[in-house]
Amino acid sequence: MYDQTRPERSLAAMTYEQMLERVRYEGAYPTRERAEQAVRAVLGALGCQVTGDERVDLARCLPVEAALTLTASAPATGQLTGWGFIKDLAARTGATPATTRWDTGAVLAAVAALAGPDLLTRILGQLPDGYALLFGRAQLSRPRPQPVAA
């Protein structure tokens, strides 16, 4: 019998090579090297945006090589929106925003699978608007405080 209270299992046992193959498949890249290039760029940039316990917990979920890429850069002093993340990464890699968005989606789909739904929800709660779509989730509006009636 299926236990409905059981949390969705993370793919934490995935090796780096398996992660690259998943990204290669998701991104329809012709080579493993192209997938690895995308992984390094996206995880390096993501590591600047995710901070605190979420950064540590995400690194624990990733294969060692990917975790080292994620944590190699110091967290940024200010966070970028999802679109700002794409534009910044495109400028740093010399790629177009469309190609960068494609790369980001392919990499973050694998990251989301490794992180699992609970950690991904925590990460998205920490990041500004626009990241949910990059991870393959629907972007839900955050409640805005209502002005107090005088």
Side-chain angles (χ1 to χ4, degrees):
M1 176 169 213
Y2 180 74
D3 180 7
Q4 292 183 340
T5 61
R6 181 179 59 191
E8 186 177 317
R9 206 177 112 201
S10 168
L11 303 174
M14 187 181 288
T15 67
Y16 187 61
E17 285 69 28
Q18 290 169 326
M19 181 182 181
L20 291 178
E21 281 306 311
R22 181 168 180 144
V23 170
R24 182 177 176 190
Y25 176 80
E26 291 285 338
Y29 299 118
T31 64
R32 180 183 174 277
E33 291 74 24
R34 178 62 184 94
E36 187 169 20
Q37 181 183 26
V39 166
R40 291 186 184 282
V42 172
L43 287 182
L46 183 65
C48 295
Q49 298 299 307
V50 178
T51 60
D53 290 342
E54 287 74 19
R55 177 180 163 117
V56 172
D57 292 346
L58 180 57
R60 285 184 188 143
C61 294
L62 299 175
V64 172
E65 300 88 341
L68 290 173
T69 301
L70 178 81
T71 59
S73 300
T77 55
Q79 289 185 314
L80 300 169
T81 63
W83 177 237
F85 178 84
I86 296 296
K87 290 191 309 185
D88 180 66
L89 185 54
R92 288 193 284 133
T93 61
T96 66
T99 299
T100 303
R101 172 60 183 93
W102 182 270
D103 291 349
T104 301
V107 173
L108 295 185
V111 170
L114 287 163
D118 294 337
L119 177 55
L120 184 56
T121 297
R122 288 178 33 221
I123 290 168
L124 292 173
Q126 179 190 91
L127 294 170
D129 286 342
Y131 282 88
L133 291 173
L134 299 177
F135 280 97
R137 277 198 176 177
Q139 178 70 50
L140 301 177
S141 298
R142 294 184 182 168
R144 291 190 168 70
Q146 297 297 318
V148 178

